[in-house]
Amino acid sequence: MSLEKSELNINGTSFKGVWIAIVMTIGTSIGGTVWTASSLYSRLEALESKKIPDISPLRENLGTLGTRLDTLLSQQEKLLELNTDVSTLSNEIEAMKATVATAEIIINDIGDTEVKFKTLTKEVEDLWKGMDYLNSSPLQR
C-alpha cells in the first residue's frame, strides 16, 4: 500500500494519501508547539510560586563590609607610611653605628695617648726630682 493510492473517507469526503500526510505533519507540529508552550507556562508558574528571600540584612552587611574595606585601605596606607619611616630610621641607625665605631676608635686612641701622657708626666717629674737632687747635692756647694 503506497501513500499515493491510500484514501480516507470521512462523511462522504475522500482524502488522498498526500493530503493525509500534510494534515498529519501540520497537526503534530501544532501539538508539539502546544505541548512546549504548556511546559514553559508550568515552569514559569513554578518560578512565580517560589518565595524570594528578604535581602535587606544582606544590604546592611554589604554596607558594613564597604565601611570595613575603607578602614582597611586607610590602615594599609598608614602601614606603608610607617614602613617608609622604619626604612629611614634603619638607614639612620646604620649611620649612627658607623659614627659610634669611629668614636670607639678615637676613644681607644685617646686611651693610648693618656697612657703615654701619664708616662711622660712621670718621666718629667722624675727629671725634676733628679734636678732637685742635683741642686741639693753637697758636691755643688
Side-chain angles (χ1 to χ4, degrees):
M1 181 177 209
S2 70
L3 189 61
E4 296 167 354
K5 293 181 182 177
S6 61
E7 194 174 299
L8 179 65
N9 283 323
I10 300 176
N11 289 334
T13 307
S14 72
F15 295 101
K16 294 274 183 186
V18 173
W19 288 106
I20 294 171
I22 292 172
V23 169
M24 289 296 288
T25 303
I26 292 172
T28 56
S29 295
I30 291 172
T33 303
V34 169
W35 180 81
T36 303
S38 171
S39 174
L40 178 63
Y41 183 74
S42 66
R43 287 181 182 179
L44 288 174
E45 280 185 334
L47 283 176
E48 284 181 348
S49 67
K50 288 188 176 183
K51 185 176 181 179
I52 297 174
D54 185 21
I55 59 169
S56 58
L58 179 61
R59 287 183 185 167
E60 293 171 6
N61 289 341
L62 287 175
T64 304
L65 181 62
T67 305
R68 288 182 181 168
L69 285 175
D70 290 339
T71 304
L72 282 173
L73 285 174
S74 66
Q75 295 291 336
Q76 184 180 15
E77 288 173 4
K78 289 177 184 176
L79 284 174
L80 289 173
E81 289 174 10
L82 285 175
N83 188 21
T84 304
D85 292 345
V86 167
S87 296
T88 303
L89 287 174
S90 178
N91 291 339
E92 289 176 2
I93 287 172
E94 290 301 319
M96 286 180 187
K97 284 181 181 178
T99 303
V100 167
T102 304
E104 286 175 347
I105 292 170
I106 291 171
I107 288 172
N108 288 338
D109 288 345
I110 289 173
D112 293 341
T113 305
E114 185 179 351
V115 169
K116 290 177 183 176
F117 186 70
K118 284 182 180 180
T119 305
L120 184 63
T121 304
K122 182 162 178 26
E123 288 178 2
V124 169
E125 287 177 359
D126 289 344
L127 286 173
W128 280 111
K129 285 180 185 176
M131 295 284 275
D132 286 342
Y133 179 73
L134 287 174
N135 283 337
S136 64
S137 142
L139 296 173
Q140 268 190 352
R141 295 194 185 159

